């Protein structure tokens, strides 16, 4: 069975059809830069353009980078403030005509990783981390998603979320060395370990490409593994979220 997934991020909107048996994209993904400002109407237009590229008429799953409850955005995060309280599933349906299932982007990436990647068959508490523009997190207990865990919004200074300290975008912006980035990530992993004692933390996004250099530098007692679905996890997990529409 083929389903369609779209991963909406702070810098790009990416989508492709996904084979649910293998968890692999069946066509090369298509990417459109996230419009700036990333207002609802502009993003909906980009989603429409992406679906037109594949001529996809069926239901669509979307991973969206804010808190999402029942298809409704509940935070601004790295998008535009106009998103708060928007029913993203309805907005996309009005723009494109397809039915949409919208969930948090990091929850989507986590779903893919738990089903097809490093989290497959892992029991207990698993935290999946996606390092990109922000820090996304997924929380799973015995393989079941507990949605909208925003671990990237733990505070590292009085009012600053830790994602403004340790995300991949911060590494790029501040041109951090591997050692300096590892120190910041280590702070974050220790923090997560201290408050939820996960059995496993799976790390994806920007860190996965540099994992061999980073891993030896971590001091946390938590068990860390690198994500195996790499860049496509967000698309694959979004496609999985659309299963309920079929
Ligand atoms: C948002 C999360 C999102 C993460 C990754 C954070 O800024 O608050 O909802 O999952 O970025 O995109």
């Amino acid at each position: 069975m083929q389903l369609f997934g779209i991963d909406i991020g702070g810098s790009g909107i990416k989508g492709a059809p996904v084979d649910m048996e293998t968890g692999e994209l069946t066509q090369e993904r298509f990417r459109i830069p996230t419009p700036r400002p990333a207002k609802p109407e502009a993003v909906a237009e980009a989603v429409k353009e992406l679906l037109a590229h594949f001529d996809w008429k069926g239901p669509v799953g979307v991973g969206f980078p804010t808190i999402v409850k029942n298809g409704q955005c509940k935070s601004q995060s790295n998008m535009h403030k106009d998103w708060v309280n928007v029913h993203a599933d309805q907005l996309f349906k009005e723009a494109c005509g397809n039915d949409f299932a919208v969930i948090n982007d990091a929850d989507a990436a986590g779903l893919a990783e738990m089903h097809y990647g490093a989290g497959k068959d892992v029991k207990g508490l698993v935290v999946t981390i996606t390092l990109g523009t922000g820090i996304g997190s997924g929380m799973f207990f015995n393989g079941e998603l507990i949605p909208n865990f925003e671990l990237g919004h733990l505070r590292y200074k009085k009012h600053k979320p830790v994602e403004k300290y340790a995300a991949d975008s911060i590494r790029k912006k501040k041109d951090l060395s591997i050692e300096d980035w590892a120190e910041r990530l280590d702070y974050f992993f220790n923090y997560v370990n201290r408050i939820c004692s996960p059995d496993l933390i799976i790390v994806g996004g920007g860190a996965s490409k540099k994992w061999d250099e980073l891993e030896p530098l971590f001091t946390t007692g938590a068990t860390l593994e690198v994500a195996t679905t790499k860049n496509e996890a967000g698309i694959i997990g979004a496609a999985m979220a659309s299963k309920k529409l079929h």
Side-chain angles (χ1 to χ4, degrees):
M1 185 193 205
Q2 263 193 77
L3 300 177
F4 200 93
I6 298 181
D7 182 20
I8 299 184
S11 60
I13 300 178
K14 297 162 275 182
V18 182
D19 181 330
M20 285 295 114
E21 302 298 315
T22 60
E24 278 166 17
L25 311 192
T26 59
Q27 289 182 55
E28 200 178 325
R29 70 170 199 186
F30 188 62
R31 182 183 188 277
I32 298 173
T34 304
R36 286 284 158 197
K39 287 192 177 196
E41 291 68 29
V43 172
E45 270 312 302
V47 167
K48 189 175 171 184
E49 189 186 329
L50 199 144
L51 292 180
H53 172 85
F54 292 94
D55 196 24
W56 185 265
K57 305 277 185 239
V60 179
V62 173
F64 198 78
T66 66
I67 296 169
V68 183
K69 284 185 87 84
N70 301 317
Q72 187 181 24
C73 299
K74 286 292 185 188
S75 62
Q76 171 183 349
S77 301
N78 293 302
M79 301 300 279
H80 192 273
K81 64 174 173 18
D82 285 5
W83 278 100
V84 180
N85 291 328
V86 166
H87 289 270
D89 50 356
Q90 291 169 18
L91 175 81
F92 294 149
K93 186 180 166 90
E94 277 157 29
C96 312
N98 311 54
D99 282 327
F100 281 83
V102 183
I103 65 170
N104 171 264
D105 61 341
D107 284 351
L111 279 176
E113 202 51 40
M114 294 303 289
H115 200 81
Y116 301 104
K120 195 164 191 262
D121 299 326
V122 180
K123 297 277 178 247
L125 192 71
V126 181
V127 171
T128 55
I129 298 295
T130 315
L131 298 161
T133 308
I135 295 183
S137 58
M139 183 71 86
F140 295 82
F141 188 66
N142 288 342
E144 194 78 30
L145 172 68
I146 307 167
N148 291 310
F149 250 84
E150 292 271 316
L151 294 176
H153 286 258
L154 291 168
R155 296 299 191 246
Y156 88 98
K157 268 189 188 167
K158 210 171 167 197
H159 297 299
K160 286 218 174 175
V162 69
E163 67 174 8
K164 299 277 182 234
Y165 178 62
D168 197 26
S169 59
I170 303 298
R171 175 189 66 79
K172 289 181 190 150
K173 196 165 136 193
K174 301 218 177 281
D175 198 18
L176 296 177
S177 66
I178 285 289
E179 287 74 18
D180 288 345
W181 194 32
E183 192 183 319
R184 292 179 181 214
L185 287 173
D186 207 36
Y187 171 86
F188 174 59
F189 295 145
N190 273 314
Y191 200 162
V192 170
N193 197 34
R194 179 69 184 80
I195 59 164
C196 38
S197 304
D199 295 289
L200 175 64
I201 301 178
I202 302 174
V203 187
S208 49
K209 291 174 213 123
K210 303 186 181 342
W211 193 249
D212 292 346
E213 293 165 84
L214 283 169
E215 196 191 14
L217 303 172
F218 296 137
T219 66
T220 172
T223 308
L224 299 172
E225 263 184 52
V226 67
T228 58
T229 46
K230 305 263 154 82
N231 276 343
E232 318 300 0
I235 297 176
I236 301 164
M240 288 169 72
S242 78
K243 257 188 216 158
K244 65 173 190 189
L245 302 172
H246 283 263

